Amino acid sequence: MASLFAQSQLYDLIKKVEKGERLDFEDGVRLMKSQDILALGYMANLKREQKNGNKTYFIVNRHINHTNVCTNLCHFCAYGVKKEDPQAFTLTLDEVEKAAHEAAQEGVSEIHIVGGLNPELPFEYYLEMLRRVKRILPQACIQAFTAVEVDYFTQITELSLNEVLQKLMEAGLDSLPGGGAEVFSPRVRAKICEKKVSGKRWLEIQETAHGLGMRTNATMLYGHIETTEERIDHLLQLRDLQDRTGGFLTFIPLPFYPKNTQLEGHMGVDSTTGFEDLKMLAVSRILLDNFDHIKSFWIMLGPKLAQVSLAFGVDDLDGTVVEERIIHSAGAETSQVMTKRALIQMIQKAGRDAVERDTLYRVLKAN
């Protein structure tokens, strides 16, 4: 098939991918700088189908964002606020429990919990939240707390990272989401999230969780001030950790939304284009040869582009979501919920086989 792209400047890389050879940093930069979207799509789809055939996964899940009060107030974030802000909110444990009961009625297999770093909440609040949710939804996986939140717990408890993770797991935590990774580059983090944990610490937290037997996810926030080279470095650092632990489930590239953030209108930052989004997904699939799954978060890309991404390396569209607040604070105009039936139809109309999964990619139902 490489012969179809004989005139492409990526022809040598296509042949490498067809032979199953691992691409390096320079190769990754070439991929990211290329405008040959069809060649990128061909390589990404080849890797996707080698790993997952025609299957596209989705999950019936619910998001609970328990507080938007945050001490970090990253420049790229439109969600976090100071505690005295009129928009500030923090859910009581009873309110979290009510949301869990609603989720039980929806038949969810995953509860996704992330929020800000609220200095007024003790560690016991998070442990009790996990216990209550797990009591109501014993069969569901709880995927909660970014590495940034986990690091914060070590600060407020003065416990070791290992001890914090063990206490969270004992209370009901099953998996960590991939948030807080942003871009690992120290240059970028100094400009957009100087109070946030370093990229090195983020990786350390993931590696520690993997060592305890927990499976986690990885992300990258792209489309702000990072360079092509910084994107590729981020991907390869993830690949290196996955080589060591095998603990990552999926990678989710997240396009930056500048609206209502401190970066809006500054440093030439604008929303990403559909072309750039497809390229980022494709390059991720090509380079991350040791990740089983690449997820396109439909709530960020929009359903139509997410559907097209199934031909550009993506094999997972996330899920029904329900009540996502963080991305919508930054201007996302997509719905906050999609029915299971709509997800299945979207996948099938793209010519893929829809497979309902749980957090750990165990098949619940093939449609």
Side-chain angles (χ1 to χ4, degrees), residues 70-82 190-195 224-225 256-269 329-330:
C70 190
T71 58
N72 277 4
L73 300 177
C74 301
H75 302 304
F76 64 81
C77 180
Y79 176 73
V81 298
K82 295 179 179 179
K191 288 181 177 292
I192 69 170
C193 54
E194 68 275 12
K195 294 182 182 178
H224 39 89
I225 66 168
F256 174 59
Y257 277 83
K259 190 174 179 181
N260 300 326
T261 74
Q262 295 177 52
L263 295 182
E264 183 178 14
H266 295 281
M267 295 184 279
V269 174
S329 298

Side-chain angles (χ1 to χ4, degrees), residues 184-185 199 203 232-242:
F184 293 145
S185 162
L203 290 164
I232 300 303
D233 176 70
H234 183 101
L235 291 175
L236 296 190
Q237 287 195 59
L238 290 174
R239 191 172 76 179
D240 288 345
L241 178 54
Q242 183 75 331

Side-chain angles (χ1 to χ4, degrees), residues 196-209:
K196 186 164 280 186
V197 297
S198 67
K200 182 179 179 182
R201 177 64 168 170
W202 188 96
L203 290 164
E204 179 190 358
I205 291 166
Q206 300 294 330
E207 187 164 9
T208 303

Side-chain angles (χ1 to χ4, degrees), residues 23-35:
L23 302 189
D24 60 20
F25 178 84
E26 289 74 20
D27 295 333
V29 171
R30 282 181 60 198
L31 292 174
M32 194 65 75
K33 289 186 174 181
S34 172
Q35 301 304 308

Side-chain angles (χ1 to χ4, degrees), residues 30-92:
R30 282 181 60 198
L31 292 174
M32 194 65 75
K33 289 186 174 181
S34 172
Q35 301 304 308
D36 193 345
I37 196 71
L38 295 182
L40 293 171
Y42 167 72
M43 287 183 275
N45 189 61
L46 182 66
K47 300 301 290 185
R48 177 235 200 272
E49 294 191 350
Q50 285 173 350
K51 287 183 175 292
N52 295 292
N54 204 47
K55 297 173 184 173
T56 293
Y57 297 91
F58 71 94
I59 193 167
V60 178
N61 62 346
R62 167 136 189 181
H63 284 218
I64 298 176
N65 301 129
H66 52 282
T67 184
N68 65 344
V69 176
C70 190
T71 58
N72 277 4
L73 300 177
C74 301
H75 302 304
F76 64 81
C77 180
Y79 176 73
V81 298
K82 295 179 179 179
K83 63 181 180 180
E84 60 270 18
D85 191 288
Q87 301 300 316
F89 78 90
T90 299
L91 300 184
T92 66

